[in-house]
Amino acid sequence: DYNKAIELNPTFADAYFSRGEVYYDQSELDKALTDYNKAIELNPTFANAYYSRGIVYYDQSKLDKALTDYNKTIELNPEEWRAYYSRGIVYYDQSELDKALTDYNKAIELNPLWGQIYYWRGLTFQQIGDAAKAEADYAKAKELGYEPE
């Protein structure tokens, strides 16, 4: 029980982070944000807390704040493929397609078996008019088990 862990040790950043993840899964974004903020306050090098807070900001359409947190995640953990992937989506949403491609390529380099990255890179290729690369990425995404809903 994360509440009990926090009660017993109010400076335990991991407990706030984990409770924040539970709140996020329950779509309680404000509570998740509060716990991620506390985890970061207690441990300013907690890369996963920045990443998760970035996801909340993205869900709240606060793209600049999401971008800041994804950048911080990458600064703290340059091997965190999810941060490149998520930052790529923000860049895509902001029509910065070259930056999106760069981030998707890095995410694929770090985790070549996650189909969703290929799908988003395919969308980006489609936006810039490269149908052949888009189709190849859509096929790769499907091969890896990802098909959009």
Side-chain angles (χ1 to χ4, degrees):
D1 178 323
Y2 299 119
N3 292 324
K4 187 68 169 172
I6 291 167
E7 182 183 317
L8 293 171
N9 184 356
T11 62
F12 188 39
D14 287 358
Y16 287 98
F17 171 75
S18 295
R19 188 174 70 179
E21 296 285 88
V22 171
Y23 285 140
Y24 181 81
D25 289 344
Q26 296 171 343
S27 299
E28 295 190 58
L29 300 185
D30 290 336
K31 287 181 178 180
L33 195 57
T34 297
D35 277 355
Y36 296 145
N37 286 337
K38 186 65 175 180
I40 290 166
E41 175 190 320
L42 294 169
N43 180 359
T45 62
F46 199 159
N48 284 338
Y50 286 100
Y51 175 74
S52 291
R53 188 174 72 177
I55 295 291
V56 171
Y57 285 142
Y58 182 83
D59 289 349
Q60 294 175 331
S61 299
K62 296 175 181 174
L63 299 186
D64 289 339
K65 286 185 171 191
L67 202 55
T68 297
D69 277 352
Y70 298 147
N71 288 336
K72 185 66 174 180
T73 303
I74 291 165
E75 174 190 321
L76 293 169
N77 182 5
E79 302 299 306
E80 179 50 78
W81 66 270
R82 298 173 308 161
Y84 292 100
Y85 164 72
S86 297
R87 188 173 71 177
I89 293 172
V90 172
Y91 286 143
Y92 178 88
D93 288 347
Q94 295 176 330
S95 298
E96 295 189 57
L97 302 181
D98 288 341
K99 288 181 177 182
L101 283 176
T102 297
D103 276 353
Y104 298 143
N105 289 337
K106 183 64 175 179
I108 288 168
E109 174 189 319
L110 294 169
N111 184 8
L113 300 177
W114 205 56
Q116 206 163 340
I117 308 167
Y118 293 93
Y119 174 77
W120 276 91
R121 190 174 71 173
L123 285 176
T124 307
F125 281 132
Q126 188 173 333
Q127 284 292 317
I128 61 175
D130 194 331
K133 286 184 179 177
E135 288 304 316
D137 273 353
Y138 294 147
K140 183 67 174 178
K142 187 174 183 177
E143 174 190 320
L144 292 171
Y146 179 76
E147 294 188 58
E149 297 173 7

Tab-separated table of all heavy atoms in Angstrom, residues 26-56:
chain	number	residue	atom	x	y	z
A	26	GLN	N	-5.942	5.082	-13.127
A	26	GLN	CA	-7.343	5.316	-12.761
A	26	GLN	C	-7.886	6.622	-13.371
A	26	GLN	O	-8.967	7.069	-13.014
A	26	GLN	CB	-7.482	5.363	-11.235
A	26	GLN	CG	-7.139	4.054	-10.558
A	26	GLN	CD	-7.065	4.156	-9.036
A	26	GLN	OE1	-6.963	5.245	-8.463
A	26	GLN	NE2	-7.105	3.007	-8.385
A	27	SER	N	-7.086	7.220	-14.260
A	27	SER	CA	-7.451	8.486	-14.931
A	27	SER	C	-7.629	9.647	-13.960
A	27	SER	O	-8.371	10.598	-14.245
A	27	SER	CB	-8.707	8.308	-15.793
A	27	SER	OG	-8.469	7.356	-16.796
A	28	GLU	N	-6.956	9.582	-12.838
A	28	GLU	CA	-6.963	10.688	-11.876
A	28	GLU	C	-5.696	11.510	-12.105
A	28	GLU	O	-4.730	11.433	-11.331
A	28	GLU	CB	-7.047	10.153	-10.447
A	28	GLU	CG	-8.356	9.431	-10.168
A	28	GLU	CD	-8.545	9.114	-8.700
A	28	GLU	OE1	-8.534	10.062	-7.886
A	28	GLU	OE2	-8.703	7.917	-8.376
A	29	LEU	N	-5.726	12.298	-13.189
A	29	LEU	CA	-4.512	12.968	-13.649
A	29	LEU	C	-3.979	14.000	-12.667
A	29	LEU	O	-2.765	14.123	-12.499
A	29	LEU	CB	-4.748	13.607	-15.022
A	29	LEU	CG	-5.135	12.647	-16.150
A	29	LEU	CD1	-5.215	13.392	-17.476
A	29	LEU	CD2	-4.175	11.481	-16.241
A	30	ASP	N	-4.862	14.744	-12.020
A	30	ASP	CA	-4.397	15.763	-11.074
A	30	ASP	C	-3.667	15.127	-9.890
A	30	ASP	O	-2.627	15.624	-9.445
A	30	ASP	CB	-5.545	16.643	-10.591
A	30	ASP	CG	-6.075	17.554	-11.695
A	30	ASP	OD1	-5.321	17.845	-12.646
A	30	ASP	OD2	-7.245	17.967	-11.604
A	31	LYS	N	-4.221	14.019	-9.385
A	31	LYS	CA	-3.569	13.326	-8.271
A	31	LYS	C	-2.239	12.717	-8.737
A	31	LYS	O	-1.244	12.749	-8.007
A	31	LYS	CB	-4.478	12.238	-7.701
A	31	LYS	CG	-5.647	12.772	-6.908
A	31	LYS	CD	-6.485	11.635	-6.346
A	31	LYS	CE	-7.629	12.135	-5.497
A	31	LYS	NZ	-8.430	11.022	-4.947
A	32	ALA	N	-2.221	12.157	-9.946
A	32	ALA	CA	-0.978	11.597	-10.488
A	32	ALA	C	0.075	12.700	-10.591
A	32	ALA	O	1.224	12.517	-10.179
A	32	ALA	CB	-1.226	10.956	-11.847
A	33	LEU	N	-0.329	13.840	-11.123
A	33	LEU	CA	0.593	14.963	-11.277
A	33	LEU	C	1.159	15.410	-9.939
A	33	LEU	O	2.373	15.649	-9.811
A	33	LEU	CB	-0.143	16.110	-11.968
A	33	LEU	CG	0.681	17.236	-12.547
A	33	LEU	CD1	1.696	16.725	-13.553
A	33	LEU	CD2	-0.242	18.261	-13.193
A	34	THR	N	0.314	15.484	-8.932
A	34	THR	CA	0.770	15.871	-7.590
A	34	THR	C	1.833	14.898	-7.085
A	34	THR	O	2.874	15.316	-6.547
A	34	THR	CB	-0.420	15.921	-6.615
A	34	THR	OG1	-1.328	16.933	-7.062
A	34	THR	CG2	0.027	16.225	-5.199
A	35	ASP	N	1.601	13.598	-7.273
A	35	ASP	CA	2.568	12.610	-6.789
A	35	ASP	C	3.850	12.619	-7.615
A	35	ASP	O	4.948	12.471	-7.066
A	35	ASP	CB	1.946	11.220	-6.759
A	35	ASP	CG	1.131	10.981	-5.498
A	35	ASP	OD1	1.129	11.848	-4.595
A	35	ASP	OD2	0.494	9.915	-5.397
A	36	TYR	N	3.761	12.796	-8.925
A	36	TYR	CA	4.980	12.887	-9.733
A	36	TYR	C	5.786	14.118	-9.342
A	36	TYR	O	7.022	14.062	-9.242
A	36	TYR	CB	4.655	12.930	-11.226
A	36	TYR	CG	3.994	11.689	-11.768
A	36	TYR	CD1	3.048	11.778	-12.772
A	36	TYR	CD2	4.305	10.414	-11.293
A	36	TYR	CE1	2.425	10.650	-13.289
A	36	TYR	CE2	3.690	9.283	-11.798
A	36	TYR	CZ	2.749	9.411	-12.805
A	36	TYR	OH	2.140	8.295	-13.316
A	37	ASN	N	5.098	15.233	-9.099
A	37	ASN	CA	5.794	16.448	-8.658
A	37	ASN	C	6.535	16.203	-7.341
A	37	ASN	O	7.676	16.639	-7.166
A	37	ASN	CB	4.815	17.607	-8.495
A	37	ASN	CG	4.361	18.172	-9.829
A	37	ASN	OD1	5.032	18.037	-10.839
A	37	ASN	ND2	3.194	18.801	-9.826
A	38	LYS	N	5.883	15.510	-6.421
A	38	LYS	CA	6.511	15.228	-5.127
A	38	LYS	C	7.706	14.297	-5.298
A	38	LYS	O	8.761	14.504	-4.674
A	38	LYS	CB	5.479	14.622	-4.160
A	38	LYS	CG	5.999	14.437	-2.750
A	38	LYS	CD	6.319	15.761	-2.066
A	38	LYS	CE	6.720	15.553	-0.629
A	38	LYS	NZ	7.027	16.818	0.045
A	39	ALA	N	7.565	13.288	-6.154
A	39	ALA	CA	8.689	12.367	-6.397
A	39	ALA	C	9.884	13.128	-6.966
A	39	ALA	O	11.023	12.899	-6.553
A	39	ALA	CB	8.253	11.250	-7.349
A	40	ILE	N	9.629	14.057	-7.878
A	40	ILE	CA	10.709	14.856	-8.476
A	40	ILE	C	11.304	15.810	-7.449
A	40	ILE	O	12.522	15.993	-7.399
A	40	ILE	CB	10.181	15.603	-9.720
A	40	ILE	CG1	9.906	14.597	-10.841
A	40	ILE	CG2	11.145	16.694	-10.163
A	40	ILE	CD1	9.076	15.146	-11.990
A	41	GLU	N	10.462	16.391	-6.609
A	41	GLU	CA	10.952	17.274	-5.539
A	41	GLU	C	11.909	16.504	-4.622
A	41	GLU	O	12.967	17.012	-4.246
A	41	GLU	CB	9.773	17.819	-4.744
A	41	GLU	CG	10.151	18.655	-3.529
A	41	GLU	CD	8.935	18.962	-2.656
A	41	GLU	OE1	7.852	19.239	-3.203
A	41	GLU	OE2	9.086	18.902	-1.422
A	42	LEU	N	11.552	15.269	-4.300
A	42	LEU	CA	12.370	14.460	-3.395
A	42	LEU	C	13.595	13.873	-4.088
A	42	LEU	O	14.618	13.632	-3.439
A	42	LEU	CB	11.528	13.322	-2.804
A	42	LEU	CG	10.403	13.762	-1.875
A	42	LEU	CD1	9.479	12.596	-1.558
A	42	LEU	CD2	10.985	14.357	-0.581
A	43	ASN	N	13.488	13.634	-5.389
A	43	ASN	CA	14.597	13.054	-6.143
A	43	ASN	C	14.642	13.718	-7.523
A	43	ASN	O	14.036	13.220	-8.477
A	43	ASN	CB	14.428	11.542	-6.275
A	43	ASN	CG	15.556	10.901	-7.060
A	43	ASN	OD1	16.471	11.576	-7.525
A	43	ASN	ND2	15.492	9.597	-7.226
A	44	PRO	N	15.376	14.830	-7.643
A	44	PRO	CA	15.401	15.588	-8.897
A	44	PRO	C	16.050	14.846	-10.085
A	44	PRO	O	16.004	15.351	-11.198
A	44	PRO	CB	16.215	16.834	-8.548
A	44	PRO	CG	16.198	16.923	-7.071
A	44	PRO	CD	16.077	15.520	-6.565
A	45	THR	N	16.618	13.668	-9.842
A	45	THR	CA	17.199	12.893	-10.945
A	45	THR	C	16.354	11.657	-11.269
A	45	THR	O	16.836	10.722	-11.919
A	45	THR	CB	18.642	12.463	-10.615
A	45	THR	OG1	18.626	11.609	-9.470
A	45	THR	CG2	19.536	13.667	-10.359
A	46	PHE	N	15.101	11.660	-10.905
A	46	PHE	CA	14.186	10.529	-11.085
A	46	PHE	C	13.607	10.584	-12.507
A	46	PHE	O	12.528	11.135	-12.744
A	46	PHE	CB	13.083	10.613	-10.031
A	46	PHE	CG	12.322	9.350	-9.767
A	46	PHE	CD1	11.641	9.197	-8.576
A	46	PHE	CD2	12.252	8.319	-10.690
A	46	PHE	CE1	10.906	8.044	-8.302
A	46	PHE	CE2	11.539	7.164	-10.435
A	46	PHE	CZ	10.863	7.027	-9.245
A	47	ALA	N	14.327	10.008	-13.447
A	47	ALA	CA	13.963	10.101	-14.867
A	47	ALA	C	12.552	9.589	-15.142
A	47	ALA	O	11.796	10.216	-15.900
A	47	ALA	CB	14.980	9.343	-15.720
A	48	ASN	N	12.166	8.470	-14.553
A	48	ASN	CA	10.836	7.914	-14.821
A	48	ASN	C	9.720	8.839	-14.338
A	48	ASN	O	8.639	8.867	-14.938
A	48	ASN	CB	10.684	6.534	-14.192
A	48	ASN	CG	11.406	5.462	-14.983
A	48	ASN	OD1	11.681	5.632	-16.167
A	48	ASN	ND2	11.709	4.361	-14.336
A	49	ALA	N	9.977	9.586	-13.282
A	49	ALA	CA	8.964	10.522	-12.795
A	49	ALA	C	8.772	11.665	-13.791
A	49	ALA	O	7.638	12.093	-14.046
A	49	ALA	CB	9.336	11.054	-11.414
A	50	TYR	N	9.875	12.151	-14.367
A	50	TYR	CA	9.747	13.187	-15.398
A	50	TYR	C	8.990	12.634	-16.610
A	50	TYR	O	8.127	13.309	-17.167
A	50	TYR	CB	11.121	13.691	-15.851
A	50	TYR	CG	11.800	14.585	-14.854
A	50	TYR	CD1	12.786	14.092	-14.017
A	50	TYR	CD2	11.475	15.939	-14.761
A	50	TYR	CE1	13.431	14.911	-13.106
A	50	TYR	CE2	12.119	16.772	-13.851
A	50	TYR	CZ	13.098	16.244	-13.024
A	50	TYR	OH	13.729	17.060	-12.127
A	51	TYR	N	9.331	11.408	-17.010
A	51	TYR	CA	8.655	10.810	-18.162
A	51	TYR	C	7.151	10.688	-17.905
A	51	TYR	O	6.334	11.101	-18.737
A	51	TYR	CB	9.254	9.438	-18.502
A	51	TYR	CG	8.486	8.765	-19.598
A	51	TYR	CD1	8.616	9.196	-20.908
A	51	TYR	CD2	7.585	7.755	-19.317
A	51	TYR	CE1	7.869	8.619	-21.924
A	51	TYR	CE2	6.835	7.169	-20.322
A	51	TYR	CZ	6.979	7.601	-21.627
A	51	TYR	OH	6.228	7.042	-22.616
A	52	SER	N	6.789	10.140	-16.760
A	52	SER	CA	5.366	9.951	-16.459
A	52	SER	C	4.636	11.279	-16.331
A	52	SER	O	3.488	11.415	-16.772
A	52	SER	CB	5.201	9.111	-15.189
A	52	SER	OG	5.626	7.785	-15.434
A	53	ARG	N	5.310	12.267	-15.751
A	53	ARG	CA	4.687	13.590	-15.656
A	53	ARG	C	4.493	14.167	-17.064
A	53	ARG	O	3.461	14.781	-17.355
A	53	ARG	CB	5.528	14.527	-14.789
A	53	ARG	CG	4.825	15.851	-14.509
A	53	ARG	CD	5.590	16.715	-13.549
A	53	ARG	NE	6.795	17.261	-14.168
A	53	ARG	CZ	7.631	18.099	-13.556
A	53	ARG	NH1	7.392	18.473	-12.300
A	53	ARG	NH2	8.691	18.563	-14.176
A	54	GLY	N	5.446	13.909	-17.937
A	54	GLY	CA	5.303	14.340	-19.324
A	54	GLY	C	4.086	13.730	-19.997
A	54	GLY	O	3.382	14.396	-20.765
A	55	ILE	N	3.826	12.468	-19.699
A	55	ILE	CA	2.641	11.800	-20.251
A	55	ILE	C	1.364	12.498	-19.765
A	55	ILE	O	0.435	12.727	-20.540
A	55	ILE	CB	2.621	10.307	-19.859
A	55	ILE	CG1	3.797	9.559	-20.478
A	55	ILE	CG2	1.293	9.653	-20.212
A	55	ILE	CD1	3.733	9.411	-21.979
A	56	VAL	N	1.322	12.836	-18.479
A	56	VAL	CA	0.150	13.546	-17.946
A	56	VAL	C	0.000	14.892	-18.658
A	56	VAL	O	-1.102	15.243	-19.102
A	56	VAL	CB	0.249	13.742	-16.420
A	56	VAL	CG1	-0.861	14.658	-15.919
A	56	VAL	CG2	0.195	12.405	-15.702
